[in-house]
Amino acid sequence: MRETTVKPNRGYGRWTPFWFLAPAVLTLFVIGIYPTIFALVTSFRQYNIARPREGFPFVGFDNYINVLSDSTFWASLLLTARFYITVLPIQLVLGLIIALLLHKPGLGLLKSLARVVLVVPLATTYAVVGLIGRLIFNREFGVANQFLDVVGIGGIDWLGSQGGAFAAIVIMDVWQWTPFCALILLAGLSMVPGEIEEAARLETRSKLAMLRYVQLPFLLPSLTAILIMRSADVLKLFDMVFVMTRGGPGSATDLVSIYIQRVGFRIFDLGTASAQAILLLILTILISRLYIRVLYREVN
Amino acid sequence: MSFLQLDTIKKTYGDVSVIKGVSFAAAKGEFVVFVGPSGCGKSTLLRMIAGLEDVTEGHLYIDGKDVTYEEPAKRELSMVFQSYALYPHMSVFENMAFGLRMAKVPEAEIKTRVTEAARILHLEPLLDRKPRALSGGQRQRVAIGRSIVRHPKIFLFDEPLSNLDAELRTQMRVEIAKLHRDLGTTMVYVTHDQVEAMTLADRIVVLRAGLVEQIGTPTELYDRPANTFVAGFIGSPKMNFIKASVTGVGSGSLTLANPSFVGGTLSVETVSTGRVKAGDTVIVGLRPEHLELNAAQPLLSLTLDFAENLGGATQLYSRSEGDIVAIVVHGRPDVKPGDTLRVGIEGRHIYLFDANGLAL
């Protein structure tokens, strides 16, 4: 009698999932994993490409010790922290107001339109935001000064003064990232079941009490996400600021990633720059863990 | 003046009219049930009383005060939602205390009231739990407790039992009835379940497509339905309807013809014969529980189609000229499909409606 085994389906074998995943894994490896490993290895070497004759010897934790005792690094890190705690409250408050307005029932078409408009700043490249910022805050023909002229305040040298340059990058960051906060918070607000809001409306007239006791608990996951993404983003914020101020004037906008870029690609001390970058990565992870531990609560 | 009064209340969404002018008044302490099929507007009406939906037209009075445009929180009502709508991040105690805290009631008073409500609803051991750690029935109790503690003027219930299983539903139904007896607060209750309506209500408001079909006590609606819709909606299993033609009009009686009637005709005594004349079609309504099998004087001759054994009773589905006639009998009659059933009914249990479905 002939064997009646079913012919294996040639379309799908044990390697099929591998081939589907391979392009993504390969891309991730090339642009993510390899550079990170390279940076990690480099951070333990003396690696100045301006002085290739000295070679790239292994120096242990020397780079890290240098970085941690470098007052400029600490200053730039502190400035970054200052930038973060300046922009974040503004973005959260404005974002929350926008989200609450969009969460109100009614105005169907306008609301959909507003949501589309909110995506525009997010879809804008950092460098372009920087260019727009340079135009807006130009001393001679910028919109900012024209606007202030109307109110009777004249001729602020935005990008030429220490305070002005810091304010300018804060304003541009708020412009770009407030919509992000608004959209995430709006998504959080829509997680609150309608009947729970209605039950609260029967018990209190206060919109503030509603926000504090009923809506806020549902917003905690969104807030955690915003804090993590914004802190990671501010720590690596480079293009917008670089295009607008190049870290100046003086060190007024010398955020940590701008300083690292200078060490890496002006002084060409890749070893030190890598150590700085790795420390930044560790800091980001630590901050994220902290947020999750302190803030994150699932309501249900 | 009535405690709760609705004066030609209307609700429209754009061009769609949902409530088309409902007027109704309830006395203090009354238990009113809005009943009707899905989409009849009963929940919308309740939400308008609560203030969760705007009133398009008409006026709403509570305790003599016009509250048509009053904010929900200022109407001093409380509502139990179908989904219970408990605050998931608060404990049972906090859920019940929230409204009182918002009203700035002293903390000692809050504790007294919550403890009292917890005692009434058997929630004492659960006060520290979060809603997710409670069963459906327990959540329902907390939702009711949250309503009780505020000492509202009116309790509103929006299909509160529909998420519970059958056994729990019966149990909670009894508890709500007891609660009404003990508290004596005015209650407005929305349901699509006519059993809940019949058992709980002092008065029932039957709604269909945004209009009131009939308002009355459960007994009134059962005994004297205004039309075939109410007759079919109140009572379970629903009333049987048989179309018949009028062959003779006497003084206080009608002679009706339908092949299912024994001998082809049926003489029915009725108070009002004024609206019908010979040749008209009328609808004869017969409640399944009023029909008798093997009656001494059978009025209907039907063919048995199917029998359902319910244990203590049997539901028989029989055919009469295309209409299905359901019969509920005690015990287990010795019949099988295809048998001819000779069915009787007392004259006073025969309902008559004109061709438009209005009671004669």
Side-chain angles (χ1 to χ4, degrees):
Chain A
M1 212 171 101
R2 258 179 10 140
E3 260 187 83
T4 55
T5 46
V6 181
K7 225 175 166 187
N9 184 349
R10 287 188 187 281
Y12 193 96
R14 58 181 298 197
W15 288 101
T16 310
F18 173 84
W19 293 118
F20 275 110
L21 288 172
V25 172
L26 200 71
T27 312
L28 194 67
F29 187 83
V30 171
I31 66 169
I33 298 168
Y34 174 73
T36 309
I37 294 170
F38 181 82
L40 189 66
V41 172
T42 310
S43 72
F44 291 107
R45 289 176 185 278
Q46 183 191 318
Y47 204 107
N48 193 325
I49 47 177
R51 283 176 266 168
R53 252 177 281 164
E54 294 174 16
F56 310 119
F58 184 76
V59 291
F61 282 93
D62 279 6
N63 286 331
Y64 287 91
I65 292 162
N66 287 339
V67 170
L68 291 174
S69 53
D70 173 9
S71 64
T72 317
F73 178 75
W74 285 108
S76 67
L77 202 58
L78 211 66
L79 186 79
T80 310
R82 235 181 78 202
F83 179 77
Y84 179 62
I85 58 175
T86 311
V87 294
L88 193 71
I90 303 174
Q91 287 163 351
L92 282 178
V93 170
L94 291 180
L96 188 61
I97 291 171
I98 294 170
L100 285 170
L101 287 174
L102 287 178
H103 182 60
K104 271 186 158 175
L107 300 171
L109 184 69
L110 280 175
K111 254 169 28 180
S112 324
L113 207 67
R115 276 180 222 193
V116 175
V117 171
L118 282 180
V119 181
V120 173
L122 289 177
T124 313
T125 316
Y126 290 90
V128 174
V129 175
L131 285 172
I132 296 171
R134 268 169 65 175
L135 290 176
I136 291 176
F137 294 106
N138 187 290
R139 189 180 177 174
E140 312 299 328
F141 50 84
V143 177
N145 274 353
Q146 297 234 341
F147 183 75
L148 288 176
D149 253 1
V150 178
V151 200
I153 306 167
I156 295 179
D157 188 5
W158 288 97
L159 301 179
S161 70
Q162 300 237 336
F166 189 75
I169 61 167
V170 164
I171 291 170
M172 289 318 285
D173 193 74
V174 167
W175 176 81
Q176 194 180 13
W177 287 99
T178 298
F180 168 77
C181 298
L183 287 171
I184 301 270
L185 290 172
L186 182 62
L189 281 176
S190 58
M191 295 290 288
V192 187
E195 287 200 336
I196 288 182
E197 278 184 5
E198 288 178 347
R201 273 176 67 198
L202 285 169
E203 301 198 302
T204 177
R205 292 162 61 202
S206 158
K207 296 265 192 302
L208 206 65
M210 172 85 103
L211 180 64
R212 164 69 187 82
Y213 295 108
V214 179
Q215 292 169 323
L216 196 64
F218 283 89
L219 288 181
L220 286 181
S222 307
L223 281 172
T224 315
I226 289 174
L227 290 179
I228 291 174
M229 294 175 83
R230 287 278 40 222
S231 54
D233 213 76
V234 164
L235 282 174
K236 69 181 174 62
L237 178 62
F238 172 76
D239 347 20
M240 186 266 279
V241 179
F242 189 77
V243 170
M244 263 175 90
T245 66
R246 301 204 176 238
S251 60
T253 57
D254 197 20
L255 300 184
V256 70
S257 51
I258 293 193
Y259 178 59
I260 295 175
Q261 184 268 349
R262 202 163 61 238
V263 172
F265 298 105
R266 289 290 152 92
I267 307 167
F268 296 110
D269 186 354
L270 285 185
T272 307
S274 296
Q276 288 170 332
I278 294 292
L279 284 171
L280 219 55
L281 179 67
I282 293 167
L283 187 64
T284 309
I285 292 167
L286 285 179
I287 291 174
S288 306
R289 297 306 308 170
L290 189 76
Y291 285 143
I292 290 171
R293 172 158 307 179
V294 175
L295 206 60
Y296 189 77
R297 298 272 182 290
E298 287 271 4
V299 179
N300 285 310
Chain B
M1 198 172 177
S2 320
F3 194 68
L4 167 69
Q5 195 184 346
L6 280 64
D7 181 11
T8 45
I9 296 276
K10 290 183 187 173
K11 175 78 189 176
T12 53
Y13 294 104
D15 296 336
V16 186
S17 180
V18 184
I19 304 287
K20 298 163 185 165
V22 170
S23 294
F24 161 78
K28 189 164 185 170
E30 208 176 353
F31 198 125
V32 179
V33 174
F34 293 166
V35 72
S38 305
C40 72
K42 54 190 189 299
S43 280
T44 311
L45 203 56
L46 190 80
R47 290 166 57 80
M48 284 201 281
I49 296 174
L52 298 172
E53 298 276 356
D54 297 333
V55 175
T56 313
E57 220 176 285
H59 286 274
L60 176 73
Y61 303 90
I62 295 172
D63 203 4
K65 199 173 139 209
D66 187 344
V67 294
T68 315
Y69 304 107
E70 192 71 278
E71 279 185 67
K74 288 188 82 180
R75 298 188 185 197
E76 295 177 63
L77 312 173
S78 64
M79 185 156 164
V80 175
F81 293 83
Q82 187 176 354
S83 67
Y84 321 133
L86 300 177
Y87 309 120
H89 50 287
M90 297 185 197
S91 70
V92 169
F93 183 93
E94 288 166 335
N95 260 286
M96 294 206 268
F98 180 71
L100 298 175
R101 285 191 176 139
M102 290 297 107
K104 304 227 160 35
V105 174
E107 202 62 26
E109 169 78 11
I110 292 176
K111 196 158 193 313
T112 317
R113 287 208 212 170
V114 172
T115 317
E116 171 66 10
R119 191 187 55 76
I120 295 174
L121 294 161
H122 314 296
L123 289 170
E124 286 139 316
L126 308 174
L127 282 174
D128 294 328
R129 292 219 197 146
K130 292 274 173 68
R132 65 167 173 272
L134 302 178
S135 69
Q138 289 168 335
R139 285 179 202 185
Q140 186 59 268
R141 272 176 232 271
V142 177
I144 292 172
R146 186 170 66 178
S147 296
I148 294 176
V149 293
R150 291 175 54 219
H151 299 169
K153 286 181 174 166
I154 303 176
F155 276 106
L156 307 174
F157 292 91
D158 189 6
E159 309 215 13
L161 306 184
S162 49
N163 284 355
L164 302 177
D165 62 48
E167 191 188 340
L168 209 51
R169 201 179 306 162
T170 315
Q171 192 188 330
M172 285 305 293
R173 200 175 70 208
V174 173
E175 291 202 26
I176 290 173
K178 277 189 193 161
L179 201 67
H180 179 244
R181 187 192 64 197
D182 296 344
L183 299 175
T185 314
T186 314
M187 296 188 175
V188 182
Y189 189 104
V190 161
T191 181
H192 61 263
D193 179 13
Q194 61 89 29
V195 177
E196 279 172 33
M198 289 296 283
T199 51
L200 289 169
D202 292 325
R203 272 197 307 155
I204 299 177
V205 179
V206 183
L207 292 158
R208 176 168 62 158
L211 284 170
V212 173
E213 291 286 319
Q214 191 174 2
I215 302 174
T217 65
T219 320
E220 276 168 8
L221 295 190
Y222 185 84
D223 289 346
R224 292 188 297 282
N227 51 44
T228 45
F229 177 77
V230 176
F233 202 81
I234 302 293
S236 172
K238 66 181 290 222
M239 187 186 272
N240 300 300
F241 296 111
I242 298 173
K243 276 192 181 150
S245 53
V246 179
T247 55
V249 182
S251 62
S253 76
L254 290 175
T255 310
L256 309 173
N258 179 297
S260 306
F261 298 150
V262 173
T265 59
L266 175 71
S267 180
V268 188
E269 286 184 26
T270 172
V271 194
S272 59
T273 55
R275 267 191 288 151
V276 286
K277 50 188 190 302
D280 281 358
T281 302
V282 293
I283 299 163
V284 181
L286 307 166
R287 292 205 184 273
E289 60 271 32
H290 291 151
L291 293 170
E292 274 178 81
L293 215 55
N294 307 321
Q297 287 184 304
L299 299 178
L300 296 168
S301 173
L302 305 165
T303 311
L304 181 63
D305 206 16
F306 190 72
E308 278 181 330
N309 177 8
L310 304 179
T314 306
Q315 278 195 44
L316 305 173
Y317 298 94
S318 54
R319 261 177 292 125
S320 115
E321 287 294 297
D323 295 315
I324 290 170
V325 176
I327 307 163
V328 176
V329 292
H330 284 288
R332 291 161 211 164
D334 183 22
V335 287
K336 56 185 186 301
D339 284 2
T340 300
L341 307 176
R342 301 183 71 76
V343 179
I345 188 166
E346 279 185 56
R348 64 190 174 96
H349 287 319
I350 298 176
Y351 298 81
L352 288 178
F353 304 92
D354 66 17
N356 296 322
L358 296 176
L360 285 181

